[in-house]
Amino acid sequence: SQQGEEDPQALSIQEGENATMNCSYKTSINNLQWYRQNSGRGLVHLILIRSNEREKHSGRLRVTLDTSKKSSSLLITASRAADTASYFCAPIRGGGGNKLTFGTGTQLKVEL
Amino acid sequence: DVKVTQSSRYLVKRTGEKVFLECVQDMDHENMFWYRQDPGLGLRLIYFSYDVKMKEKGDIPEGYSVSREKKERFSLILESASTNQTSMYLCASSSFRQQMNTEAFFGQGTRLTVV
C-alpha cells in the first residue's frame, strides 16, 4: 500500500509547546507531502520534501525524512490554538498517474 | 482565489437516486481525485484520473463511477445512492511536472446525506 500511517492518532498539548507527529510508509518514494485539515474542511498542503532531502523548514514547521527507515516527522514549534487540526502525510511514488492516498491522520489539539 | 470548486456544500438525496457530484479546477492540472471521509477511517480514495477520459480505481470504487470529459472537470456518480454512502466527499487536483507529482489542492467538500 502506498499510503502513509500517521502516529500518534491523537495529540493534545498546551499552547507554546512543540508538537511532533510521525509518518511511516512502505514503498520507495519520489517525495512526501504533509497536509492539514481543519474541522469539516478540505485539506491544505503544508510542505513537500523530496526523497533526496533530509530536512525542510517552512515557518514554524520542520519536516524530516529518513528514506532508509521509510519515515518522516512533522514538527510544529511554538504551537497555537489555531494549529488545532488533523494532519496527514502522503508518500508519493515517482512517475505519472499516481494515486494520492492518505492514512487516518493525527488529530492535534492545542489548548490555551 | 478559489482553485478547486465542488458543486455543492451540502446535499440530501433519497435512496436509489442517481447522484452527481461535480468538481472543477482552474489550474490546468492533469490529476484529479475523489475521496470520501468518514470518522475514524481517514480519507479513502474512490477514483482518480490522470488525464482526460482516463480513470483508475482507488481503494473503494464499489458503488461509484466517474467521468472526465474535459480536463478541468471530474464528476463522481453514485448510480443508485444508498444510506452507507452518506459521507463527506472531497475532490482534489494536482499537477505532474518534472517527473514529480506536485502538491494537491482540495475543494471545500460536499457533505452528502442519503435518506
Side-chain angles (χ1 to χ4, degrees), chain A residues 19-57:
Chain A
T20 300
M21 48 208 91
N22 304 296
C23 170
S24 60
Y25 58 92
K26 295 179 180 176
T27 65
S28 59
I29 61 170
N30 178 290
N31 68 75
L32 187 141
Q33 302 174 19
W34 283 92
Y35 291 80
R36 182 190 73 224
Q37 183 183 35
N38 292 94
S39 180
R41 299 267 176 195
L43 278 67
V44 174
H45 181 264
L46 292 176
I47 196 165
L48 180 155
I49 185 166
R50 299 179 187 231
S51 60
N52 60 356
E53 296 176 312
R54 291 296 166 259
E55 188 171 312
K56 198 164 184 180
H57 297 255

Side-chain angles (χ1 to χ4, degrees), chain A residues 11-107:
Chain A
L11 182 60
S12 183
I13 59 174
Q14 298 293 313
E15 197 172 49
E17 293 180 340
N18 295 342
T20 300
M21 48 208 91
N22 304 296
C23 170
S24 60
Y25 58 92
K26 295 179 180 176
T27 65
S28 59
I29 61 170
N30 178 290
N31 68 75
L32 187 141
Q33 302 174 19
W34 283 92
Y35 291 80
R36 182 190 73 224
Q37 183 183 35
N38 292 94
S39 180
R41 299 267 176 195
L43 278 67
V44 174
H45 181 264
L46 292 176
I47 196 165
L48 180 155
I49 185 166
R50 299 179 187 231
S51 60
N52 60 356
E53 296 176 312
R54 291 296 166 259
E55 188 171 312
K56 198 164 184 180
H57 297 255
S58 177
R60 292 184 297 113
L61 305 180
R62 172 179 168 250
V63 168
T64 62
L65 179 65
D66 187 336
T67 53
S68 66
K69 295 182 178 178
K70 292 188 169 56
S71 68
S72 174
S73 67
L74 172 67
L75 168 68
I76 304 173
T77 60
S79 63
R80 306 166 181 168
D83 295 327
T84 295
S86 292
Y87 293 81
F88 297 86
C89 69
I92 309 295
R93 289 196 296 211
N98 270 278
K99 297 180 180 182
L100 176 65
T101 56
F102 299 89
T104 54
T106 292
Q107 292 187 33

Side-chain angles (χ1 to χ4, degrees), chain A residues 30-31 33 35 37 40-43 45 48 50 88 92-93 95-104, chain B residues 9 33 35 37 40-43 45 48 50 57 59 88 90 96 99-104 106-108:
Chain A
N30 178 290
N31 68 75
Q33 302 174 19
Y35 291 80
Q37 183 183 35
R41 299 267 176 195
L43 278 67
H45 181 264
L48 180 155
R50 299 179 187 231
F88 297 86
I92 309 295
R93 289 196 296 211
N98 270 278
K99 297 180 180 182
L100 176 65
T101 56
F102 299 89
T104 54
Chain B
R9 187 80 174 94
F33 309 86
Y35 302 87
Q37 185 173 29
L41 297 177
L43 273 80
L45 180 65
F48 74 105
Y50 53 91
K57 293 180 180 178
D59 299 320
M88 169 71 93
L90 292 164
F96 181 67
Q99 298 301 307
M100 190 174 76
N101 289 294
T102 62
E103 64 179 289
F106 280 77
Q108 77 277 28

Side-chain angles (χ1 to χ4, degrees), chain B residues 27-72:
Chain B
M27 295 167 284
D28 199 37
H29 282 171
E30 294 81 10
N31 305 319
M32 295 189 75
F33 309 86
W34 273 108
Y35 302 87
R36 65 176 284 175
Q37 185 173 29
D38 302 286
L41 297 177
L43 273 80
R44 292 182 291 167
L45 180 65
I46 304 171
Y47 267 99
F48 74 105
S49 168
Y50 53 91
D51 201 351
V52 176
K53 296 190 187 295
M54 304 303 289
K55 61 185 179 185
E56 285 202 22
K57 293 180 180 178
D59 299 320
I60 51 162
E62 297 78 19
Y64 303 93
S65 62
V66 290
S67 172
R68 193 163 180 205
E69 296 297 316
K70 293 185 178 181
K71 191 175 186 180
E72 67 269 21

Side-chain angles (χ1 to χ4, degrees), chain B:
Chain B
D1 57 343
V2 177
K3 301 181 189 304
V4 180
T5 303
Q6 294 183 228
S7 53
S8 304
R9 187 80 174 94
Y10 298 95
L11 209 53
V12 179
K13 295 292 181 180
R14 294 195 180 278
T15 300
E17 274 193 77
K18 190 169 186 176
V19 181
F20 292 85
L21 302 183
E22 307 284 347
C23 177
V24 177
Q25 51 95 2
D26 63 0
M27 295 167 284
D28 199 37
H29 282 171
E30 294 81 10
N31 305 319
M32 295 189 75
F33 309 86
W34 273 108
Y35 302 87
R36 65 176 284 175
Q37 185 173 29
D38 302 286
L41 297 177
L43 273 80
R44 292 182 291 167
L45 180 65
I46 304 171
Y47 267 99
F48 74 105
S49 168
Y50 53 91
D51 201 351
V52 176
K53 296 190 187 295
M54 304 303 289
K55 61 185 179 185
E56 285 202 22
K57 293 180 180 178
D59 299 320
I60 51 162
E62 297 78 19
Y64 303 93
S65 62
V66 290
S67 172
R68 193 163 180 205
E69 296 297 316
K70 293 185 178 181
K71 191 175 186 180
E72 67 269 21
R73 186 181 298 270
F74 192 36
S75 303
L76 180 69
I77 303 157
L78 287 65
E79 295 290 343
S80 177
S82 64
T83 55
N84 63 12
Q85 292 178 310
T86 291
S87 187
M88 169 71 93
Y89 289 87
L90 292 164
C91 173
S93 72
S94 72
S95 184
F96 181 67
R97 292 193 203 104
Q98 298 175 342
Q99 298 301 307
M100 190 174 76
N101 289 294
T102 62
E103 64 179 289
F105 292 85
F106 280 77
Q108 77 277 28
T110 296
R111 190 166 292 280
L112 172 67
T113 302
V114 183
V115 297

